Amino acid sequence: QVQLVESGGGLVQAGGSLKLSCAASGRTFSSYASMGWFRQAPGKEREFVAAISWSGGNTYYADSVKGRFTISRDNAKKTVYLQMNSLKPEDTAVYYCAAGLDTGWGYSKSRTYDYWGQGTQVTVSS
């Protein structure tokens, strides 16, 4: 049974940093062709934040986070990370980790991902 468990969320002031982690279990981690982070703010649709290829050699970001967020993965630890710097109140959302077995629909598309975590709350105060 595949499980993705996010951690690292919390409350931070604008301009601060947080690092999210997503630990995977139940499947060989390197089999995930794509790992991504999405977020959903209250009253809004879930949106793409960042993604990384199986090797970690390719990364993708939403324009709204480019230059502030960094995604990485450690296949030995079966973990993907999202380093978030220069946080803004508009970054407030529940952040979800996702894993996909292929990349057929593109890294930024929800339908690419086969497994999802439960989410971790990130709140940025002004």
Side-chain angles (χ1 to χ4, degrees):
Q1 181 179 358
V2 174
Q3 277 194 317
L4 301 176
V5 180
E6 303 97 334
S7 61
L11 173 63
V12 64
Q13 289 188 330
S17 298
L18 283 174
K19 186 173 184 177
L20 305 183
S21 299
C22 172
S25 62
R27 191 180 182 96
T28 302
F29 192 68
S30 58
S31 69
Y32 298 125
S34 53
M35 297 290 298
W37 288 95
F38 288 74
R39 67 187 181 187
Q40 187 167 18
K44 295 187 177 181
E45 293 187 354
R46 185 169 55 189
E47 64 175 1
F48 169 73
V49 175
I52 189 167
S53 61
W54 72 271
S55 68
N58 294 298
T59 56
Y60 309 85
Y61 298 95
D63 288 342
S64 59
V65 307
K66 203 170 293 182
R68 300 188 297 122
F69 291 11
T70 303
I71 188 171
S72 60
R73 66 189 286 173
D74 186 333
N75 286 352
K77 295 184 177 180
K78 300 182 179 181
T79 301
V80 63
Y81 304 97
L82 185 67
Q83 176 68 47
M84 305 186 294
N85 298 329
S86 302
L87 283 161
K88 304 175 181 180
E90 51 263 43
D91 294 318
T92 295
V94 177
Y95 283 71
Y96 297 91
C97 173
L101 300 178
D102 59 41
T103 61
W105 296 102
Y107 285 95
S108 66
K109 304 300 184 183
S110 297
R111 65 179 70 181
T112 290
Y113 298 90
D114 302 283
Y115 307 104
W116 294 82
Q118 292 298 308
T120 185
Q121 176 70 46
V122 171
T123 303
V124 185
S125 63
S126 57

